[in-house]
Amino acid sequence: MRPNKKTTAPSRGASDRHEAVPGFVPIPAAGSVEAMFHEISTGGERGLDRLSSSPRHGRYDDLWQLALADPTTGLVNQVLLLDRLTQALKRSRRHGGDVLVCHIDLTNFGEIYDELGYISADEVLAEVCRRLTTLLRSEDTIGRVGRSEIVAVMAIDGEVAIAVMAQRLTSALERPVLVVGHEVHVSSSLGVAVAEDGESAEHLMVRADGAADSGTSFTERYMHHHG
């Protein structure tokens, strides 16, 4: 009898083994994600948003959502927010106009969480974010940057327009939120910062955060800085 011939199947990579599994996102080769993000983030005014028009985007939808979106509110997270703010500052330097950052802190969110539980607290947060989003234009950006912190970035011109927008945001936050039969009142602080010449996105975000913590009214802060 002739001995059985042993055949060796060609080795398969991790992505080959899982390619038939529904919902599996293939893991790209080492370094390809870094190269892709470098190409996107250094490629003009759209920054990371160029990924949405890339032919490679479909393969990474799930990873993209995990990396750059907040799952509770559906808003962008701090990574994408900072990128969009950077692009807005570049456009402002080229074409003129002001870039406004509004930092909103829901100051009693911890109490809402303790009293109603995390599910209801997240519903309150999501409703607040929906309200704020409806006040913005499609070219503006709003993101969640902390447990109870939301930041809006917008291109806007003139002191009157800035004051009107701040008032609209404040009014939206003052209306109670109805959740599980409870009328929940949300306390908040609003900090506003307008970009200065040559200012980085990170520094502008810090200034808006500091304005929210200062305890003075928007009008006092703005007029003190620009008066």
Side-chain angles (χ1 to χ4, degrees):
M1 290 177 62
R2 296 176 63 187
N4 290 335
K5 257 176 128 181
K6 249 176 137 185
T7 58
T8 304
S11 63
R12 304 174 69 196
S15 60
D16 295 324
R17 288 196 297 271
H18 293 287
E19 62 189 3
V21 179
F24 175 75
V25 180
I27 299 173
S32 63
V33 170
E34 290 85 349
M36 179 173 63
F37 271 77
H38 176 75
E39 173 194 338
I40 291 162
S41 62
T42 56
E45 292 183 349
R46 290 187 60 200
L48 292 174
D49 287 311
R50 288 184 63 213
L51 185 59
S52 63
S53 60
S54 166
R56 291 170 292 184
H57 177 251
R59 295 187 64 196
Y60 306 111
D61 276 340
D62 292 344
L63 290 175
W64 179 251
Q65 288 296 321
L66 286 171
L68 298 174
D70 173 59
T72 301
T73 63
L75 302 182
V76 304
N77 67 10
Q78 185 163 339
V79 174
L80 186 52
L81 184 79
L82 272 171
D83 181 77
R84 289 187 177 173
L85 176 54
T86 299
Q87 307 314 317
L89 291 171
K90 288 179 182 178
R91 287 192 293 272
S92 173
R93 288 169 195 141
R94 284 182 191 150
H95 310 300
D98 290 322
V99 176
L100 176 69
V101 172
C102 297
H103 187 111
I104 300 153
D105 187 7
L106 309 182
T107 53
N108 67 334
F109 184 74
E111 297 169 21
I112 295 171
Y113 182 95
D114 292 339
E115 184 177 341
L116 301 179
Y118 77 92
I119 294 176
S120 295
D122 282 350
E123 288 179 13
V124 171
L125 178 63
E127 172 58 24
V128 167
C129 291
R130 279 192 291 270
R131 290 182 185 179
L132 297 175
T133 301
T134 61
L135 300 176
L136 304 182
R137 303 160 300 180
S138 59
E139 61 265 33
D140 300 328
T141 297
I142 183 168
R144 184 183 182 191
V145 299
R147 184 189 185 202
S148 61
E149 295 170 280
I150 304 156
V151 171
V153 173
M154 61 199 82
I156 197 165
D157 286 319
E159 296 181 10
V160 173
I162 292 170
V164 167
M165 176 53 70
Q167 185 55 55
R168 290 177 69 192
L169 293 171
T170 301
S171 297
L173 293 165
E174 288 174 347
R175 300 199 312 271
V177 177
L178 189 63
V179 59
V180 292
H182 294 270
E183 197 174 70
V184 180
H185 292 268
V186 178
S187 301
S188 63
S189 61
L190 172 66
V192 176
V194 180
E196 299 175 341
D197 289 345
E199 188 171 21
S200 69
E202 292 81 1
H203 189 265
L204 182 54
M205 291 267 287
V206 169
R207 281 208 299 118
D209 185 10
D213 292 337
S214 70
T216 57
S217 71
F218 163 75
T219 303
E220 289 171 333
R221 284 194 300 271
Y222 191 79
M223 294 310 293
H224 172 74
H225 185 74
H226 294 269

